[in-house]
């Protein structure tokens, strides 16, 4: 048995039967005290961490809105300048994810201060985009943005996975990614409003997009410091009884987990296939998400929508994404499965890519394909993060897994920013064919991964029937399919 400080809770605290823990289930209806506690958790975690996701995608996608308003002309971008401005952001973004989560998990580091300070600096740097006076200066600012934004996705995923059971986490991840879609959705509205600030104080409209959205990020940073809680065992906003009950639920759901961040088998954790295979198909799904920012403006222009109308017409796409991904995540959580819904979402994305590859002449049909691409992609991303984290055990594995998935998975942006070649628009044959091929690869990898997990569960169930020991441990447990 691990030392008491190295586990989430002492075994005596759990009231779940060994068989329940073996199959990773819990009562379908939590008692009233749990519902009150869950509401308390949700109010403390969901809005503010969701707002961080909104800010992250707002800062990330406002470059597309600024492009419509004349960014490239204003800073004399070279022919591939916009693509470079996209991918240079992701170099530090990928490299910083793992160190960020490891720092945040240290006993003396408080997540609210760690995330809050990073959001504050991100807001300042983001504002500087609107104050750039040269293309090279703009690239430098984008690079530094990648450093401070890297802490947000992995850090929020880390905290959510630490607080919620497998059943509850799915819909929470759905809500967090829904907040992410509010970023580009709100960005379109804000860009539409800020368009009329063109010339105010001698600044172009595209500059005001960056400046105002950067100021909003700075404001959010103070709320992060005030609201974001510590990890469950150190959560002061919960009473001692509530902390004990929360830990009971987590142990009943996942078994006893190690919180030890010192004696970690690093090679075993880093090379865990339960991290790397999901990272592959997260990469495949993010290829579509990253690609959409490259060709959405072109399709809107083909429809004849200029500037303000084009900004507004991106909103229905993101609203559809929100509804579909949250609804699917809720059902996935209740059915305690992930792979069937992910495979279904991939099929929806394939339909969207096929429409683009064959290049249906009607721009309105291509516009419709964006709904397929967006809804299927963000549903995948939500469920993949949830699927990976609920199949990991121990704080170190969750920290590193979330960082690798969201860090390396976002490398798809390097691909997307280079295959959508400006001179190939509006057909973009290279970009669309690459997107379709990568999506099919994602489908295949999900099927293979599901088969591996199912084989593990079958072997484990057979062994447990012989021994009669259904106890989940840090090392031996059933996987969620």
């Amino acid at each position: 048995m691990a030392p008491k400080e190295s586990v989430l809770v002492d075994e005596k605290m759990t009231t779940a039967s060994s068989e329940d823990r073996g199959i990773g289930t819990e009562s379908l209806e939590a008692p009233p005290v749990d519902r009150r506690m869950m509401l308390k958790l949700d109010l403390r975690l969901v809005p503010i961490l969701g707002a961080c996701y909104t800010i992250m995608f707002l800062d990330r996608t406002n470059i597309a809105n600024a492009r419509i308003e004349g960014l490239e002309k204003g800073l004399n971008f070279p022919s591939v300048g916009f693509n470079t401005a996209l991918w240079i952001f992701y170099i530090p973004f990928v490299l910083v994810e793992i160190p960020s989560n490891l720092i945040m998990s240290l006993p003396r580091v408080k997540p609210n201060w760690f995330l809050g300070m990073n959001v504050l600096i991100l807001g300042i740097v983001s504002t500087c985009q609107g104050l750039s006076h040269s293309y090279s200066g703009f690239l430098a600012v984008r690079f530094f943005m990648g450093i401070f934004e890297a802490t947000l996705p992995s850090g929020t995923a880390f905290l959510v996975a630490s607080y919620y059971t497998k059943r509850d986490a799915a819909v929470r991840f759905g809500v967090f990614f829904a907040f992410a879609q509010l970023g580009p959705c709100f960005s379109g509205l804000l860009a539409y409003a800020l368009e009329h600030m063109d010339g105010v104080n001698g600044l172009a409209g595209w500059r005001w997009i960056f400046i105002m959205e950067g100021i909003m990020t700075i404001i959010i940073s103070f709320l992060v410091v005030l609201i974001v809680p510590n990890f469950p065992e150190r959560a002061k906003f919960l009473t001692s009884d509530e902390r004990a009950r929360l830990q009971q639920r987590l142990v009943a759901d996942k078994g006893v987990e190690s919180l030890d961040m010192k004696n970690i088998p690093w090679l075993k954790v880093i090379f865990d296939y339960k991290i790397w295979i999901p990272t592959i198909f997260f990469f495949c799904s993010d290829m579509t998400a990253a690609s959409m920012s490259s060709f959405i403006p072109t399709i809107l222009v083909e429809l004849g929508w200029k500037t303000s109308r084009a900004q507004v017409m991106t909103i229905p796409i993101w609203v559809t994404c929100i509804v579909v991904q949250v609804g699917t995540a809720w059902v996935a959580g209740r059915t305690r499965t992930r792979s069937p819904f992910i495979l279904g979402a991939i099929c929806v994305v394939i339909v969207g890519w096929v429409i683009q590859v064959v290049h249906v002449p009607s721009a309105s049909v291509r516009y419709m394909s964006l709904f397929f691409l967006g809804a299927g992609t963000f549903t995948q991303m939500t469920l993949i993060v949830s699927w990976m984290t609920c199949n990991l055990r121990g704080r170190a594995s969750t920290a590193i897994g979330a960082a690798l998935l969201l860090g390396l998975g976002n490398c798809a942006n390097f691909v997307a920013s280079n295959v959508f070649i400006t001179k190939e628009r509006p057909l973009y044959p290279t970009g669309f064919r690459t997107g379709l091929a990568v999506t099919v690869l994602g489908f295949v990898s999900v099927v293979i991964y599901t088969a591996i997990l199912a084989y593990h569960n079958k072997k484990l169930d057979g062994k447990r029937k012989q021994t009669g020991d259904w106890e989940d441990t840090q090392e031996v447990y059933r996987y969620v399919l």
Side-chain angles (χ1 to χ4, degrees), residues 249-262:
R249 288 170 61 88
L250 294 174
V251 169
D253 183 66
K254 301 179 181 180
V256 178
E257 289 190 279
S258 171
L259 303 185
D260 185 10
M261 294 298 294
K262 296 180 180 178

Side-chain angles (χ1 to χ4, degrees), residues 13 21 33 46 75 116 170 172 180 208 212 254 326 356 358 414 440 443 449-450 457 467 477:
M13 295 179 64
R21 287 178 58 184
V33 65
V46 174
L75 292 181
R172 271 73 183 183
W208 282 112
M212 296 304 294
K254 301 179 181 180
V326 173
Q356 297 295 341
V358 301
F414 291 112
V440 172
F443 186 94
Y449 184 59
T450 304
N457 286 352
T467 62
Y477 52 93

Side-chain angles (χ1 to χ4, degrees), residues 104-127:
M104 196 175 84
S105 64
L106 295 175
R108 295 186 180 182
V109 176
K110 295 182 178 180
N112 61 327
W113 281 101
F114 181 74
L115 293 175
M117 292 305 297
N118 278 281
V119 175
L120 173 63
I121 299 173
L122 173 64
I124 295 172
V125 176
S126 179
T127 303

Side-chain angles (χ1 to χ4, degrees), residues 287 291 295 353 356-357 415-438:
M287 173 67 190
S291 299
F295 61 82
W353 279 121
Q356 297 295 341
V357 169
V415 180
S417 60
N418 286 287
V419 297
F420 284 88
I421 304 168
T422 304
K423 66 181 181 181
E424 290 186 351
R425 64 182 179 185
L427 299 179
Y428 286 130
T430 303
F432 292 147
R433 290 169 186 168
T434 302
L436 178 60
V438 171

